[in-house]
Amino acid sequence: MDNSNSILVTGAAGLIGRRVAEMLVACGRTVCATDLEPHHACPFDFVAANLIDATAIAAMMNRGFAGIIHCGAISGPMLGREDPAGTIATNVQGTVTLLEAARCHDIKRFVFCSSVSAYGSTPAGMSLVPPTAPLNANDIYGASKAAADILVRAYACEHGLDAAVLRIGWVYGPRRQTRSLLLRLIRDALEGRSSRIEHDGQFHVPLIHVDDVARCLIAALDQTTLKERAFNVTTGSRVQMITLADIVRRHLPAADITFLPGVPYPDIEQATFDIDGTCATLSWTPQVSLDDGVASYIEWLRTHPL
């Protein structure tokens, strides 16, 4: 990639997009960032725009970009459940708007933030989920990501767009303030509340720190040749929620956490995701341990009360 050219980062007021833009700037790259509106002072050029506004996106593209990292989305199954139509419009039509802009402006590399939610529940007996596994989403958010995922790869096949799809695990870390179990456990402990969790804590989650995700997206942007189009982005392992609670207790000994025995977590069941191809092709490995990542998240939440 030509590092002297500007990179467009969408969703730059959000958790992943903001971190990607910051890392690019720290490396001396030129960044143009976009979102509906900035949430904090931005150390990069920012243009407010709605992803489904084709006119606004077309005007932005006239600036000229070497690549696009598309992080903008309504993110998370809980938000998809609350606003199905809005989630589909933003996540699918917004992606199509960007794909058309990329096609018409000869963008060198298009990197899309997909999600492991696009897989839905993985087949019984599958111990390791490869990127070739079928997308069979169980919820609106996952379906919107699966649809956009397929569209990105279709543009690559039919129109020659040089694109990569990164199916990202459950992202945590500084700046995440949308609902999650980890956020709840930490907030409760910091604010002196007991955590009574409405399931038994046996559920496994593919957590990954936002810094590792951002590094992987930039690696996908910069990789000279992509032999594959789809990549899993997790740590390559899963953690039980009860283990996550133990890590929180280690850093916050006053944390009072109780799970309800025998009550299963009402969510999809997924096996461990295969990241060997991601590591080999993108020359990337996850670097933030869960213990260190939780510690960094706790410190950020201490200074950023809701």
Side-chain angles (χ1 to χ4, degrees):
M1 298 292 292
D2 183 355
N3 291 355
S4 66
N5 292 331
S6 181
I7 306 301
L8 175 64
V9 179
T10 70
L15 174 65
I16 298 174
R18 175 62 183 253
R19 195 69 186 111
V20 168
E22 288 175 341
M23 285 188 176
L24 286 169
V25 169
C27 293
R29 312 282 283 272
T30 302
V31 172
C32 177
T34 185
D35 209 315
L36 291 175
E37 58 183 26
H39 290 184
H40 307 283
C42 297
F44 38 77
D45 188 18
F46 186 94
V47 179
N50 192 320
L51 291 175
I52 63 176
D53 185 342
T55 301
I57 297 301
M60 194 184 317
M61 295 299 294
N62 289 330
R63 293 167 168 246
F65 299 111
I68 297 173
I69 301 182
H70 177 29
C71 307
I74 293 178
S75 183
M78 68 297 242
L79 299 180
R81 188 176 303 115
E82 294 165 1
D83 184 13
T87 298
I88 293 166
T90 297
N91 294 2
V92 181
Q93 186 56 52
T95 300
V96 171
T97 302
L98 280 170
L99 286 168
E100 273 294 283
R103 179 180 70 85
C104 294
H105 288 80
D106 194 27
I107 294 299
K108 297 177 184 177
R109 176 66 51 77
F110 187 101
V111 182
F112 172 60
C113 287
S114 186
S115 168
V116 297
S117 293
Y119 289 110
S121 293
T122 54
M126 178 178 283
S127 60
L128 201 60
V129 184
T132 54
L135 304 185
N136 189 27
N138 298 73
D139 53 51
I140 296 298
Y141 169 72
S144 73
K145 283 296 187 180
D149 184 313
I150 294 169
L151 284 165
V152 172
R153 289 181 287 126
Y155 265 76
C157 289
E158 188 167 1
H159 296 289
L161 180 65
D162 192 352
V165 167
L166 274 58
R167 297 176 187 145
I168 300 167
W170 295 27
V171 186
Y172 75 100
R175 288 201 182 93
R176 171 151 189 175
Q177 298 195 58
T178 52
R179 295 194 301 273
S180 72
L181 176 67
L182 181 56
L183 174 63
R184 176 181 173 183
L185 297 182
I186 295 172
R187 286 282 187 207
D188 282 351
L190 290 175
E191 297 171 11
R193 293 188 299 270
S194 297
S195 298
R196 297 293 179 265
I197 311 303
E198 300 79 14
H199 57 82
D200 59 16
Q202 302 297 316
F203 188 74
H204 290 82
V205 292
L207 284 175
I208 184 166
H209 194 273
V210 62
D211 284 1
D212 281 334
V213 173
R215 288 191 307 101
C216 195
L217 287 163
I218 294 170
L221 175 76
D222 289 337
Q223 186 64 35
T224 304
T225 303
L226 294 178
K227 296 180 181 179
E228 306 294 337
R229 293 294 175 193
F231 303 91
N232 291 330
V233 183
T234 71
T235 63
S237 62
R238 304 177 301 162
V239 60
Q240 276 189 309
M241 290 182 170
I242 53 173
T243 302
L244 189 60
D246 288 339
I247 294 173
V248 171
R249 291 188 189 99
R250 183 157 64 247
H251 291 283
L252 297 170
D256 178 14
I257 304 167
T258 302
F259 291 93
L260 294 180
V263 180
Y265 186 68
D267 209 326
I268 59 178
E269 289 289 344
Q270 295 180 317
T272 300
F273 292 95
D274 184 356
I275 64 168
D276 285 352
T278 309
C279 296
T281 300
L282 303 184
S283 301
W284 167 89
T285 55
Q287 296 179 358
V288 182
S289 71
L290 186 56
D291 191 75
D292 288 344
V294 170
S296 72
Y297 194 20
I298 289 171
E299 288 310 305
W300 187 84
L301 288 169
R302 284 187 194 274
T303 57
H304 293 80
L306 288 176

